[in-house]
Amino acid sequence: MPLLPTPSIAREIFADALPSAERYAEFLAGPGVERGLIGPREVERLWERHLLNCAVMAEVIPAEASVVDIGSGAGLPGLVLAIARPDLSVTLLEPLLRRTVFLQECVDVLGLSNVEVRRGRAEEVIGDFAADVVTARAVAPLERLARWALPLLRPGGELLALKGERAAAELEEADTVLKEFGVRAAEVLQVGHGKVEPPATIVRVVAGKAPRPSGKRTNSRRGGRRRGERKR
């Protein structure tokens, strides 16, 4: 199925990075479908449902932030945010080899110097990050996602989870876990008003001082990779 033309709003959202976003869209529609990272039926709505929906998350991410994208899959939302916001330092965290290979190919083809691809699960890298932001899309219900994401954040850092109609319900169901981790705030936001329809729904959780999991190493590198820091 052919990729639909780039919507006009994409120019406003991606600005000078639009050519990279278009190239990424082509990569998703080609190798992404061939390798089973996205379904062929998604090609005709790549821009509306995926690229733009992810890109508007950038509205609530502070400048120069370190971002860890959990379960990156085909790069949604992490790779989209790295394209739209070159000031961000983004780590794409993905456990499956075939997906990390795809992600690295995308990074190389697009020449994204602000992205690191790392193979692994969130629970395996606790202690390696004290990120400003953790992002996730279609990874797990918030109750489980919070347990994986909050230990990767610095105190005051934010989990931004793209959710759907059940966002408020998931937030309520995760109340016990969020209290366990001592979060400072939690809310449902809508972003992209006037750009995407409907606006994207995000659950935003502000990390407190999370309890340290037992048995994990504590002398690892902390913090997301900043601009200018060499990739491993």
Side-chain angles (χ1 to χ4, degrees), residues 60-211:
V60 291
I61 298 179
E64 305 287 333
S66 59
V67 179
V68 177
D69 186 44
I70 292 179
S72 291
L76 305 166
L79 200 50
V80 175
L81 292 171
I83 293 170
R85 289 279 304 277
D87 63 299
L88 302 178
S89 174
V90 180
T91 298
L92 305 178
L93 186 62
E94 168 56 49
L96 295 184
L97 177 61
R98 67 184 179 91
R99 293 177 179 172
T100 57
V101 169
F102 175 84
L103 290 170
Q104 190 62 58
E105 288 179 12
C106 287
V107 170
D108 294 341
V109 166
L110 299 174
L112 298 174
S113 61
N114 62 329
V115 180
E116 177 183 15
V117 178
R118 182 163 177 180
R119 185 182 178 195
R121 300 180 184 279
E123 58 267 37
E124 297 170 345
V125 298
I126 295 173
D128 289 0
F129 296 96
D132 299 315
V133 175
V134 169
T135 57
R137 179 180 189 251
V139 171
L142 185 64
E143 186 174 9
R144 274 190 286 149
L145 179 61
R147 290 191 180 277
W148 302 334
L150 290 172
L152 305 184
L153 289 164
R154 62 169 176 79
E158 298 182 359
L159 165 61
L160 300 176
L162 262 174
K163 292 293 182 178
E165 296 178 352
R166 293 200 74 254
E170 285 196 32
L171 184 57
E172 184 176 349
E173 291 162 2
D175 183 65
T176 300
V177 172
L178 299 184
K179 287 179 178 177
E180 175 186 334
F181 278 86
V183 303
R184 299 180 182 179
E187 61 183 335
V188 176
L189 303 174
Q190 289 194 318
V191 296
H193 291 278
K195 298 176 182 177
V196 295
E197 184 59 41
T201 300
I202 296 174
V203 174
R204 173 180 173 265
V205 178
V206 182
K209 187 174 181 181

